[in-house]
Amino acid sequence: MANVRLQDVAELAGVSMKTVSNVVHQYPHVSPSMRARVEAAISELGYRPNASARRLATGRTGMLSLAFSDVSLPYFAELARIIAHLASARGYRLLLEQTDGTIESERAIISTREAGLVDGVIFQPSRMPSMEISKRRADVPLVLLGEGPAPLSVDHVMIDNEAAAIQATSHLVAAGRTRIGFVGHEEFDQSVTSLQRLRGFQLALDAAGLTVDMSLVVPSAAISAKDAADAMRRALADGRVFDGLVCRDDLAAIGALRALQEHGLRVPEDVAVVGWDDISMAAFTHPSLTTVAPDTTQIATMALDMLEERIGGYTGLGRHRIADYSFVVRESAPSD
Amino acid sequence: MANVRLQDVAELAGVSMKTVSNVVHQYPHVSPSMRARVEAAISELGYRPNASARRLATGRTGMLSLAFSDVSLPYFAELARIIAHLASARGYRLLLEQTDGTIESERAIISTREAGLVDGVIFQPSRMPSMEISKRRADVPLVLLGEGPAPLSVDHVMIDNEAAAIQATSHLVAAGRTRIGFVGHEEFDQSVTSLQRLRGFQLALDAAGLTVDMSLVVPSAAISAKDAADAMRRALADGRVFDGLVCRDDLAAIGALRALQEHGLRVPEDVAVVGWDDISMAAFTHPSLTTVAPDTTQIATMALDMLEERIGGYTGLGRHRIADYSFVVRESAPSD
DNA sequence: TTGAAAGCGCTAACAA
DNA sequence: TTGTTAGCGCTTTCAA
């Protein structure tokens, strides 16, 4: 019962394995009577093709792996949802790999110890230097997500973080804010993501003739609402005064919102807050978040397109695609 | 370069495939010189074992699939994170399957069309009747999550939803609330989860001598903050008056918070709100959420334990395990 | 249109 | 301790 083979079906139907295979694969040139006979045998035996055997024979696994630090971060969860859907529409299943942002786990992603596990990998590194990524063996097709300075040899999808950070910061400047802080980047080992956003932040302030006050730049122990809230609580207790806040991501913004409210500050009246990612919760915080909204569907589509081209045999220099983003204005930092 | 086989390594090293295999598997009884020679050959050739071939030979895939409606729901994302970690510690990788809560997708999960894809399945159904689940072919080990009345033939992990709902409701009653509503269950095709929570809600009100006012039971178009907020907005616009709210989950609570605030009501002064799931955001809403906190680590551990027993050959009646939960009191519904 | 047979790369039982 | 070899179940030329 458990192990019905293609061969068993063939024997019961009195045909060859090839014929059964043709039926299973909907191969058009099979006479209706053959097909009927084979299908009867299939359902009588309860036959199901064995995925491992098929994979060994074809060399294709029909699986992609999706690797990033942590699925429980809303941005990644929402991205995973989209990628899983789009991948499934293209006939792939998704393997979930969490790195927890450790360099060891990220290395393990890059240097797959097993061949033939997945057909391709979509990977958003957080710690790994691009030099190291570029030195990997080009065994399995890889597309990088996120904002690292991607090595020339690898395909890559990102949004223009610097431009978006400039827009977010300028939005606060335009609203007349002058004591604008930045919250939520890692305290040590900053991810490239954070660095690019910080850079845009600084460029925008410079352009507005405001100098960056380093005491208003508040790093966080880790990427989470809790750590951002803790960092902001300390900064506020320390007497620092903000009237605007660019947050590294929406989680940091949510933590900051909490710390500001505990400190008796009103958002946006006293402090305007801008987040990043437009996670679904951003519309439901109190106040709702003005935020940078990467076009995640486009990111996922670009990544899958390039991955499929690689899987299809394309070899060539790494392509760098820039995905769109929009700037969503809500209550935490209105336009005026 | 791409296709180095075990055999190639064996030839280069001048040994048999078995010896190479022994080395690859860390088999202890290999002479050091052999080991060294083989390892040299492995790295010279850049050999990596082929996962598909290994799986075909052993019949084990080392993969589990995790199926539920939607990873972007925080509860599922957080659960997925934990399960992925624990599974990985046990040597399994995780395949992500989203059903979107459609019955067709749930059927596809239950009746795996391919054999040998995964060693086991962890599945939280939302629509599927338990009768149908029990009729499935017992091909691949399955553990059910969540609160359905699980068929006797299948392993199952859940928390006692009814008891938790009673506790949540009683908490509001004890604080003197009398116009207690329920928000966020599906409007049609209620999941068993919702029904059990509603039942506990009703039992607690009955026990307190309060009758359930059906106009305070506010269903939502779907499980999301947005739909719950919309439903609550309509209820409030309709003139319904609440002083307490048991929410089907934290997302519903977040939506409700939003609607209440827009309506000028204060939480908890005017309306006390209790959520469910204790998603990480629950500590950062404004006000923070009092909520039922299922012990997700325990849920994941129980599920994996039972799954591994099944994979290991255990056959027997389905076991039903009840996991712990706690009731976390925060600002949205304080103790007094 | 259908059949026969040679792999795909690895494991594991059995020998040596 | 190491070698031989027969599968695992499917795909895929090449024939018929």
Side-chain angles (χ1 to χ4, degrees):
Chain A
M1 180 108 286
N3 295 325
V4 187
R5 288 133 62 237
L6 192 61
Q7 174 127 236
D8 302 326
V9 177
E11 280 167 13
L12 178 64
V15 300
S16 78
M17 290 170 60
K18 181 69 207 303
T19 302
V20 179
S21 173
N22 282 343
V23 171
V24 169
H25 289 97
Q26 326 262 34
Y27 185 67
H29 305 293
V30 183
S31 68
S33 64
M34 271 280 92
R35 181 181 301 282
R37 215 161 80 208
V38 171
E39 278 169 349
I42 287 181
S43 67
E44 180 174 340
L45 262 34
Y47 168 73
R48 323 201 168 178
N50 179 302
S52 299
R54 177 177 290 170
R55 297 212 273 247
L56 178 56
T58 60
R60 295 291 231 75
T61 67
M63 297 207 298
L64 263 26
S65 86
L66 176 60
F68 44 53
S69 61
D70 179 352
V71 234
S72 75
L73 298 179
Y75 176 74
F76 285 130
E78 293 174 17
L79 186 64
R81 167 171 187 72
I82 293 175
I83 293 181
H85 268 136
L86 296 177
S88 143
R90 295 171 189 225
Y92 292 98
R93 308 178 112 101
L94 214 62
L95 210 57
L96 192 66
E97 310 253 27
Q98 294 183 105
T99 64
D100 294 316
T102 66
I103 187 81
E104 301 77 31
S105 311
E106 296 200 335
R107 288 208 176 101
I109 298 299
I110 289 303
S111 62
T112 28
R113 297 229 59 74
E114 289 183 310
L117 185 64
V118 294
D119 295 331
V121 177
I122 298 178
F123 173 35
Q124 174 143 359
S126 37
R127 288 271 158 281
M128 176 153 284
S130 65
M131 275 306 286
E132 190 172 340
I133 298 178
S134 68
K135 288 204 198 98
R136 83 185 232 289
R137 290 184 38 168
D139 277 304
V140 32
L142 171 69
V143 172
L144 255 29
L145 254 38
E147 310 79 359
L152 287 174
S153 52
V154 182
D155 292 330
H156 190 203
V157 183
M158 57 179 174
I159 68 165
D160 187 338
N161 272 270
E162 202 172 288
I166 290 174
Q167 181 170 357
T169 311
S170 304
H171 178 78
L172 296 178
V173 170
R177 311 290 169 153
T178 55
R179 301 194 51 78
I180 304 175
F182 190 98
V183 197
H185 53 295
E186 303 88 345
E187 184 151 17
F188 308 104
D189 286 326
Q190 275 117 29
S191 59
V192 185
T193 303
S194 297
L195 290 175
Q196 291 191 327
R197 295 178 187 176
L198 270 164
R199 165 123 41 93
F201 170 72
Q202 166 153 32
L203 289 174
L205 289 186
D206 285 352
L210 297 168
T211 47
V212 175
D213 179 344
M214 280 312 289
S215 76
L216 302 186
V217 174
V218 183
S220 157
I223 303 297
S224 75
K226 177 180 186 313
D227 290 298
D230 289 344
M232 273 303 289
R233 285 186 187 110
R234 284 192 301 271
L236 292 168
D238 198 34
R240 310 200 192 160
V241 178
F242 306 80
D243 63 7
L245 222 38
V246 176
C247 302
R248 192 262 184 202
D249 51 50
D250 288 342
L251 248 26
I254 287 167
L257 242 40
R258 176 87 203 170
L260 292 167
Q261 284 155 348
E262 287 171 3
H263 201 75
L265 294 164
R266 292 163 308 156
V267 177
E269 294 80 354
D270 302 320
V271 185
V273 173
V274 178
W276 198 301
D277 284 343
D278 195 26
I279 61 177
S280 65
M281 201 58 62
F284 290 91
T285 54
H286 179 73
S288 59
L289 284 177
T290 291
T291 188
V292 173
D295 185 337
T296 44
T297 299
Q298 194 186 27
I299 291 172
T301 303
M302 285 174 162
L304 287 170
D305 283 347
M306 291 198 289
L307 205 52
E308 279 200 290
E309 287 169 22
R310 293 274 175 198
I311 291 170
Y314 172 84
T315 60
L317 278 184
R319 286 128 340 142
H320 290 206
R321 299 249 197 280
I322 306 294
D324 297 329
Y325 65 88
S326 55
F327 188 68
V328 181
V329 177
R330 298 202 185 88
E331 298 160 351
S332 70
S335 278
D336 257 354
Chain B
M1 181 107 287
N3 295 327
V4 186
R5 287 134 63 238
L6 191 61
Q7 173 127 235
D8 301 326
V9 177
E11 279 167 13
L12 178 64
V15 300
S16 79
M17 288 171 61
K18 180 68 208 298
T19 303
V20 179
S21 173
N22 283 342
V23 171
V24 169
H25 289 98
Q26 326 262 34
Y27 184 65
H29 306 291
V30 184
S31 68
S33 63
M34 271 282 91
R35 181 181 300 282
R37 214 160 81 209
V38 171
E39 277 169 351
I42 287 179
S43 68
E44 181 175 338
L45 260 34
Y47 168 73
R48 327 207 165 172
N50 179 302
S52 299
R54 177 176 292 171
R55 297 212 271 247
L56 178 56
T58 60
R60 295 290 232 77
T61 66
M63 297 205 299
L64 262 27
S65 86
L66 176 61
F68 43 52
S69 62
D70 179 352
V71 236
S72 76
L73 298 179
Y75 175 73
F76 286 129
E78 293 172 19
L79 185 66
R81 167 171 187 71
I82 293 175
I83 293 182
H85 268 137
L86 296 178
S88 144
R90 296 171 188 226
Y92 292 99
R93 309 178 111 100
L94 214 62
L95 209 58
L96 192 67
E97 310 254 26
Q98 295 182 105
T99 65
D100 294 317
T102 65
I103 187 81
E104 301 77 32
S105 311
E106 296 199 335
R107 289 209 175 100
I109 298 300
I110 288 302
S111 62
T112 28
R113 298 230 57 75
E114 289 182 310
L117 184 64
V118 294
D119 295 331
V121 177
I122 298 178
F123 173 35
Q124 174 145 358
S126 36
R127 287 271 158 283
M128 176 154 284
S130 65
M131 273 307 285
E132 190 171 341
I133 297 179
S134 67
K135 288 204 200 99
R136 81 184 234 289
R137 289 182 40 164
D139 278 304
V140 32
L142 171 69
V143 172
L144 255 27
L145 253 39
E147 310 80 357
L152 287 173
S153 52
V154 182
D155 292 330
H156 190 204
V157 182
M158 58 179 173
I159 67 166
D160 186 338
N161 271 270
E162 204 173 286
I166 290 175
Q167 182 170 358
T169 310
S170 305
H171 178 79
L172 296 178
V173 170
R177 309 291 170 153
T178 55
R179 300 193 51 79
I180 304 175
F182 190 98
V183 198
H185 52 294
E186 303 88 344
E187 184 152 14
F188 308 106
D189 285 324
Q190 275 118 29
S191 59
V192 185
T193 304
S194 298
L195 289 176
Q196 291 191 328
R197 294 179 187 174
L198 269 165
R199 164 123 41 94
F201 169 72
Q202 167 154 30
L203 288 174
L205 288 187
D206 285 351
L210 297 168
T211 46
V212 175
D213 179 345
M214 280 311 289
S215 75
L216 302 186
V217 174
V218 183
S220 157
I223 303 298
S224 74
K226 178 180 186 310
D227 291 299
D230 288 344
M232 273 303 289
R233 285 186 188 110
R234 282 192 301 270
L236 293 168
D238 199 34
R240 311 202 190 160
V241 178
F242 305 81
D243 62 6
L245 222 37
V246 176
C247 302
R248 192 261 183 203
D249 51 51
D250 288 343
L251 248 25
I254 287 168
L257 242 40
R258 177 85 204 169
L260 291 168
Q261 284 154 349
E262 288 171 4
H263 202 74
L265 294 165
R266 293 162 307 157
V267 178
E269 294 81 354
D270 302 319
V271 185
V273 173
V274 177
W276 197 301
D277 285 343
D278 195 26
I279 62 177
S280 66
M281 200 58 62
F284 290 92
T285 53
H286 178 72
S288 59
L289 284 176
T290 291
T291 189
V292 172
D295 186 337
T296 45
T297 298
Q298 195 187 26
I299 292 172
T301 303
M302 286 174 161
L304 288 170
D305 283 347
M306 291 197 289
L307 204 52
E308 279 199 291
E309 287 169 23
R310 293 273 174 199
I311 292 171
Y314 172 83
T315 61
L317 277 186
R319 286 129 337 145
H320 290 205
R321 299 249 197 281
I322 305 294
D324 297 329
Y325 66 86
S326 55
F327 188 67
V328 181
V329 176
R330 298 203 185 87
E331 298 160 350
S332 70
S335 278
D336 261 354

